[in-house]
Amino acid sequence: MTRKPMFAMMLLATTAWPSLAIAEAPADAAPAVADAPAAADDIVVIGRGETRQVQEISTRDFDLVVPATSPLKAIAKLPGVNFQSADAFGNYEWSERVSIRGFNQNQLGFTLDGIPLGDGSYGNTNGLHISRAISSENIAQVRVAQGSGAIGTQATNNLGGTIEFISSDPKREAGLTLNGTYGSDNTWRAFVRLDTGTLGDNGPSAYVSYGHFTTDKWKGWGVQRQNQVNAKAVAPLGDSGLRLVATFDFSDRRENDYQDMSLDMIHRLGYRWDNISNNYPLAILVSDVGANTGYTGVTPTNPAAGKTYPAPFANPDDAYYDAAGLRQDYLASVGIETAKDAKIHGELRGYYHDNHGRGIWFTPYVASPSGVPMSVRTTEYDIRRKGVFGSVGTSLGGFGDLTVGAWYERNDFRQARRFYGLDSRTVPTRDSLDFPLLPFFTQWDYRYQTDTFQYYVSDRIALGNLTVDLGWKGYDVRVTATPLTAGSLASGKIKTTDWFQPRAGLTYRLGANAELFGGFSQVTRAFTGSATSGPFATTQAGFNALGNLKPEQSDTYEAGTRFRSGIFTGSIAAYYVDFRNRLLAYSVGSGIQGNPPILQNVGGVRSYGVEATGQIKLPNGFGAFASYAYNDSRYRDNVFVVDPLTQQKVLLGGVPIKDKTVVDAPRNIASGEVTYDSDLFFGRIGANYMSKRYFTYSNDQSVPGRVLFDASIGVRFAVAGDRKVELQLSGTNLLDKQYIATIGSNGFTQKGDNQTLLVGAPRQVFVSLKTGF
């Protein structure tokens, strides 16, 4: 055994987390593992009675990390979850990546209270990131299904798993919650939530919250900030067992970007190299030299700048003047639902999402009309989504509990590439955090209308110690791309239809303290509409040649056991995944150039692995938890393209990739925590290990493994009578390790040292004060 797997197994055996409990089984499920004490502050829940690998975290888990931490970063401790971000909070969207069992976030399903959040990518065409949808303080539960079998999820891309977020309900008692955080890099975080409490006897209740977050970048110059409003109202409808639920969420997020790096840049320039946003004249000089040398293709306007780059620049891609992401979102829903254990159970909910976004780069590749050798390039996003979903189920006696559900969405998405001018060589005339106006050039502008209809049928049958889940889902997704201005990209229509995607699973109870589970599921990923990803992100000729393009599809087989013995609770699962019709978007040139990618079916991927979770509940408030995941994901085919000169098929990039490891799929991931919690003091220390990751398909380039430590310690005390105050000190990356966090920020290539890496944040420390009235 090598040292790295040995480390992971030692971590699993010796490290930590408290309050892991077996989840309550649905009322219609056969009883399985004996009940553990079901406390409201349980941190991790293993899905008792589930026929697939499912785990959850709850509110108490968010209380032990830095406020405003992304819910996706909080689930990184679960087995098989690979999370990356270049900031301490996990909220910086350009760098945010999450993958499960080798499937990236574009191949995972995300929902909030059932509302689809889209594919989780930075340039999200059909949703929004969870950090913009809701403040972490308002999340009651996060449910992670590492397999692909969540057939009731509103998603058409969940090849490798689903992540479901559930918002907290209003509190029964009226009150005011106040949280404040200050720390490294001038970080400020303020959160206030007002709960009305239950009005009258079993009447309605509601809350509204406001959160403000701002931080300086940990390197370079610039800020990242967000203003966020969440509201939720719940109204029981008499004694019927039904309740009306309405939500509203608003987010305005504006963040300056970090410089994308390559390994060569890190070696030449160092981990703390970044955009030169504090030195506009230097950016102009570098752009002038890039034009004079012919590197950028811009017509030279200042020959006096010469052809020698100022040290330490090797070319204009070493550092840009500035870049930013701007996003404004409104998300609202209203619906009616029954209790989960009602004889006839179900829900019906409608939602609306409005997004206005810009991705901004100050680019030396296009000059301004004024003669300034640089301009502001945007990718512009405008989303208008409206949809409805619902389900109804009931017990059919010996035929089990049958549920039928459906979802429909109309998504009107508009995407454009525009350029805005700069009018001075000495001072910038545009702010990267403002939405720009008056473009001088529109490269392309397209509207994508997507109609999605999905349905599912599921049945849970209890046969003594055996419980069987059977079901399937199906959908029809149709996308129409229409050019609004003359553009070089593709337009037309494409659809994905697969009416039968089966799911089957079972659990078998082995006495009072253990159960076996296993299952099979099949999922097809629908095509989407976008100018920067998918079938339309190419030339018209390229799109017309995609007549035989097939949607990606995965078959997942998994089996495992859950068990408890005394103070120990654990689970272990094994899986095999057959991934077919893999789509490859081959990146050409640097990301800032925005060249259309090459898209084609390139064969399949075979994945198998093991996931283990263990927890010990110790006396006197101590606890220990650890998880370990082993994953082996490899390409099953080489990639060929047609040589334009010989018309013969040749290896893409001249290198084979068959049997190579999938990019961004670490072989080993392990996490662990030790925690302590008493009436007065609380704390935790955690570790997260990730092995080597490749960022080229041929595996000729990789970033090394790393172990990161973080910790929190706090005290609770009473002031002014019964009012509680909590003071917490938190630290991330405690050993101040230099490491590469995100890979693939500008996509992946066949081989070579691509500029697609983002460096992780150094040690950061924060102090939080929490109270309520």
Side-chain angles (χ1 to χ4, degrees):
M1 180 179 291
T2 64
R3 292 183 62 187
K4 290 178 180 178
M6 177 65 77
F7 166 82
M9 294 306 293
M10 290 173 63
L11 189 61
L12 177 62
T14 62
T15 57
W17 233 342
S19 307
L20 178 65
I22 299 298
E24 289 299 320
D28 56 322
V33 181
D35 289 342
D41 62 351
D42 284 341
I43 292 180
V44 175
V45 179
I46 298 175
R48 179 168 72 91
E50 292 285 353
T51 59
R52 55 199 168 99
Q53 175 82 310
V54 176
Q55 286 163 336
E56 302 170 0
I57 63 173
S58 62
T59 303
R60 182 67 183 128
D61 191 54
F62 293 105
D63 291 340
L64 294 175
V65 296
V66 181
T69 293
S70 167
L72 293 176
K73 184 175 181 180
I75 66 171
K77 61 197 68 178
L78 299 181
V81 178
N82 164 15
F83 178 79
Q84 308 157 25
S85 181
D87 68 319
F89 299 91
N91 286 327
Y92 170 41
E93 289 194 22
W94 178 251
S95 70
E96 190 178 89
R97 298 289 187 277
V98 61
S99 63
I100 297 177
R101 295 180 177 177
F103 287 97
N104 65 49
Q105 60 198 30
N106 298 337
Q107 300 161 327
L108 305 176
F110 300 86
T111 64
L112 171 62
D113 295 333
I115 302 167
L117 299 180
D119 64 10
S121 63
Y122 171 79
N124 199 324
T125 66
N126 58 357
L128 71 164
H129 271 281
I130 185 60
S131 59
R132 284 188 273 129
I134 190 171
S135 297
S136 58
E137 290 91 340
N138 295 326
I139 294 178
Q141 187 181 79
V142 184
R143 182 178 176 89
V144 179
Q146 286 92 337
S148 59
I151 60 175
T153 302
Q154 278 67 248
T156 59
N157 65 317
N158 55 317
L159 292 170
T162 57
I163 303 176
E164 301 171 78
F165 304 92
I166 297 92
S167 65
S168 62
D169 278 349
K171 297 177 182 178
R172 294 180 179 272
E173 302 293 331
L176 187 67
T177 302
L178 300 171
N179 298 340
T181 299
Y182 177 75
S184 300
D185 300 306
N186 200 30
T187 296
W188 288 93
R189 159 73 172 174
F191 175 83
V192 56
R193 168 170 157 166
L194 174 65
D195 280 86
T196 66
T198 302
L199 303 176
D201 185 16
N202 196 33
S205 58
Y207 70 77
V208 61
S209 72
Y210 168 72
H212 173 77
F213 172 83
T214 182
T215 182
D216 293 339
K217 291 170 57 180
W218 64 264
K219 67 174 180 176
W221 296 266
V223 299
Q224 298 182 336
R225 63 173 179 255
Q226 181 176 18
N227 290 290
Q228 191 165 26
V229 175
N230 299 145
K232 185 174 183 178
V234 175
L237 300 179
D239 298 325
S240 65
L242 299 173
R243 68 175 196 168
L244 185 69
V245 180
T247 63
F248 172 79
D249 305 294
F250 165 76
S251 170
D252 186 308
R253 183 166 180 85
R254 306 187 186 205
E255 54 189 18
N256 285 116
D257 288 319
Y258 292 95
Q259 173 72 28
D260 298 295
M261 307 286 280
S262 64
L263 292 179
D264 170 69
M265 290 172 63
I266 292 173
H267 295 152
R268 285 190 296 113
L269 305 169
Y271 280 88
R272 298 192 73 91
W273 181 256
D274 198 37
N275 291 327
I276 49 175
S277 308
N278 69 323
N279 198 334
Y280 182 77
L282 176 61
I284 295 298
L285 175 59
V286 172
S287 299
D288 276 330
V289 176
N292 292 342
T293 61
Y295 185 90
T296 62
V298 169
T299 301
T301 57
N302 183 18
K307 296 185 177 182
T308 302
Y309 292 102
F313 281 83
N315 56 62
D317 292 318
D318 271 353
Y320 308 120
Y321 171 65
D322 207 354
L326 316 179
R327 300 289 190 274
Q328 289 182 342
D329 292 275
Y330 297 86
L331 180 65
S333 74
V334 62
I336 189 172
E337 62 188 28
T338 70
K340 301 299 182 183
D341 58 354
K343 176 66 176 178
I344 299 178
H345 51 84
E347 65 175 331
L348 180 65
R349 178 173 297 202
Y351 62 91
Y352 177 77
H353 173 218
D354 181 289
N355 168 262
H356 181 56
R358 298 289 184 269
I360 292 175
W361 245 329
F362 283 69
T363 175
Y365 287 93
V366 177
S368 296
S370 64
V372 175
M374 186 168 66
S375 63
V376 178
R377 194 208 84 171
T378 65
T379 306
E380 307 190 355
Y381 311 87
D382 287 280
I383 300 173
R384 307 289 185 272
R385 291 190 302 148
K386 45 189 175 292
V388 61
F389 60 89
S391 65
V392 61
T394 188
S395 174
L396 299 178
F399 294 97
D401 189 278
L402 182 67
T403 300
V404 178
W407 165 45
Y408 171 76
E409 179 182 277
R410 162 68 62 86
N411 178 18
D412 290 304
F413 172 61
R414 183 174 178 179
Q415 192 174 28
R417 171 66 48 76
R418 294 191 171 94
F419 294 84
Y420 298 80
L422 298 166
D423 300 323
S424 171
R425 283 179 164 272
T426 57
V427 294
T429 54
R430 292 185 183 272
D431 190 323
S432 61
L433 295 184
D434 290 337
F435 282 85
L437 300 172
L438 302 176
F440 69 83
F441 174 56
T442 297
Q443 184 177 0
W444 42 258
D445 185 3
Y446 286 80
R447 175 173 291 147
Y448 302 89
Q449 179 179 293
T450 304
D451 289 287
T452 300
F453 173 74
Q454 176 179 287
Y455 82 104
Y456 75 92
V457 179
S458 67
D459 192 15
R460 167 163 284 206
I461 305 170
L463 303 170
N465 289 347
L466 178 67
T467 300
V468 178
D469 278 340
L470 299 172
W472 71 91
K473 77 171 182 178
Y475 60 65
D476 180 82
V477 179
R478 302 181 182 223
V479 187
T480 301
T482 305
L484 300 179
T485 63
S488 58
L489 300 179
S491 61
K493 297 182 179 181
I494 194 167
K495 74 172 183 174
T496 316
T497 302
D498 188 344
W499 292 120
F500 185 70
Q501 300 170 52
R503 155 75 184 156
L506 59 86
T507 61
Y508 186 79
R509 181 161 48 99
L510 300 172
N513 295 313
E515 67 180 14
L516 302 175
F517 66 91
F520 163 80
S521 58
Q522 183 179 95
V523 174
T524 301
R525 180 189 180 194
F527 294 122
T528 58
S530 167
T532 51
S533 64
F536 295 105
T538 186
T539 63
Q540 190 64 51
F543 178 79
N544 294 340
L546 299 178
N548 295 321
L549 194 69
K550 297 179 180 179
E552 296 176 331
Q553 191 175 69
S554 69
D555 291 345
T556 299
Y557 306 81
E558 61 182 348
T561 180
R562 307 179 183 102
F563 50 89
R564 63 177 292 130
S565 177
I567 63 173
F568 179 79
T569 304
S571 71
I572 186 168
Y575 61 87
Y576 175 83
V577 180
D578 179 20
F579 176 31
R580 301 182 297 282
N581 302 322
R582 182 173 72 93
L583 288 172
L584 173 63
Y586 179 63
S587 302
V588 180
S590 62
I592 200 171
Q593 293 175 268
N595 296 323
I598 301 169
L599 184 70
Q600 60 178 323
N601 286 119
V602 291
V605 172
R606 184 267 303 136
S607 300
Y608 64 87
V610 177
E611 297 163 347
T613 307
Q615 173 251 332
I616 300 174
K617 298 180 72 173
L618 300 171
N620 302 316
F622 287 96
F625 172 87
S627 69
Y628 168 71
Y630 173 84
N631 172 269
D632 188 306
S633 296
R634 297 178 183 270
Y635 300 112
R636 304 183 72 173
D637 304 273
N638 289 318
V639 180
F640 294 90
V641 294
V642 176
D643 186 295
L645 297 178
T646 66
Q647 295 300 305
Q648 299 295 315
K649 285 188 175 182
V650 296
L651 281 170
L652 181 61
V655 294
I657 68 167
K658 184 177 181 180
D659 295 325
K660 298 295 185 180
T661 297
V662 171
V663 292
D664 197 15
R667 190 71 56 88
N668 299 281
I669 300 176
S671 294
E673 291 187 339
V674 174
T675 64
Y676 172 76
D677 199 346
S678 69
D679 292 337
L680 182 59
F681 296 104
F682 63 92
R684 61 174 284 278
I685 182 167
N688 179 268
Y689 166 74
M690 186 183 298
S691 61
K692 177 171 67 175
R693 293 168 289 158
Y694 295 103
F695 63 93
T696 59
Y697 298 111
S698 63
N699 292 179
D700 74 320
Q701 299 289 338
S702 65
V703 299
R706 86 294 184 278
V707 182
L708 300 178
F709 294 88
D710 60 296
S712 295
I713 186 170
V715 60
R716 304 183 186 98
F717 49 91
V719 298
D722 294 334
R723 190 198 312 169
K724 298 290 186 180
V725 175
E726 184 175 293
L727 184 64
Q728 178 176 320
L729 177 67
S730 303
T732 60
N733 190 8
L734 292 181
L735 302 184
D736 203 25
K737 181 177 181 59
Q738 291 186 327
Y739 70 101
I740 296 169
T742 304
I743 65 175
S745 61
N746 278 310
F748 301 104
T749 56
Q750 202 76 352
K751 63 178 181 179
D753 185 15
N754 190 21
Q755 191 172 338
T756 193
L757 314 176
L758 286 163
V759 175
R763 178 173 53 237
Q764 297 193 304
V765 180
F766 307 94
V767 177
S768 301
L769 185 65
K770 306 177 184 180
T771 188
F773 300 89

